[in-house]
Amino acid sequence: GAALTGGSWTVNPSGFLSFAGTSLVALGADATVRVSGALFSFDSLTSLASNAGTLELFGGRDLLTTATFVNTGEIILGAGSDLTVGTFTQTSAGTVEFGISGAGAGQQGKLVGTAAATLGGTARAKVVGGFDPQAGQSFPLMSFTSRTGTFAKVEGLNIGQADVFEAVYTNTAFSLNSLVSAADLDVETI
């Protein structure tokens, strides 16, 4: 396989991008791949095993790679987009962002590991589309068969000064639970 070492590549809905039958196994630090929409074709990414650049999935676009996957860069999973990998490792330099547009199925970006996960670096929650989380809601963001470690930092847990989410780790999942209703934080006058 080959490495994409630089450049910015965008594949829009119903788009197609191919590298003449070459499978990409790595995104370099200066490479950005942004994929949007469920009807794209980018077969070259199905062997992707490492990301040091930026990998963005939006608009319900899912990507399946059964490879052992190491993230030292940034993965951005828009609401409704899933990245499925084998064993997943995120180093201290890595970041994974999860879009959340609602509490229902298909309204969060998700990372699915079909094997073990080693967590480090940063996880970021990004509430989008005007969604207001309600107290008691749970947002499953990652699943795996077993876990080692936790994220060093989880961003996006607050709205203003108020804690809205708590990070929850189990042996097989990472999720956010809503502590309060975001609408209760709206202040019109004092």
Side-chain angles (χ1 to χ4, degrees), residues 11-16 35-42 45 61-63:
V11 184
N12 292 314
S14 301
F16 178 79
V35 182
S36 176
L39 298 177
F40 97 106
S41 178
F42 195 179
L45 279 180
R61 175 66 254 158
D62 297 338
L63 177 63

Side-chain angles (χ1 to χ4, degrees), residues 59-111:
R61 175 66 254 158
D62 297 338
L63 177 63
L64 170 64
T65 175
T66 56
T68 294
F69 193 95
V70 177
N71 184 43
T72 59
E74 183 174 33
I75 298 170
I76 300 172
L77 302 172
S81 293
D82 296 350
L83 173 61
T84 302
V85 300
T87 300
F88 178 75
T89 299
Q90 181 163 292
T91 69
S92 60
T95 297
V96 60
E97 177 179 296
F98 303 96
I100 301 172
S101 66
Q107 293 184 304
Q108 304 92 38
K110 292 185 181 175
L111 196 150

Side-chain angles (χ1 to χ4, degrees), residues 157-172:
L157 299 178
N158 305 349
I159 294 178
Q161 299 294 318
D163 292 335
V164 176
F165 297 111
E166 68 176 341
V168 178
Y169 298 90
T170 68
N171 288 334
T172 59

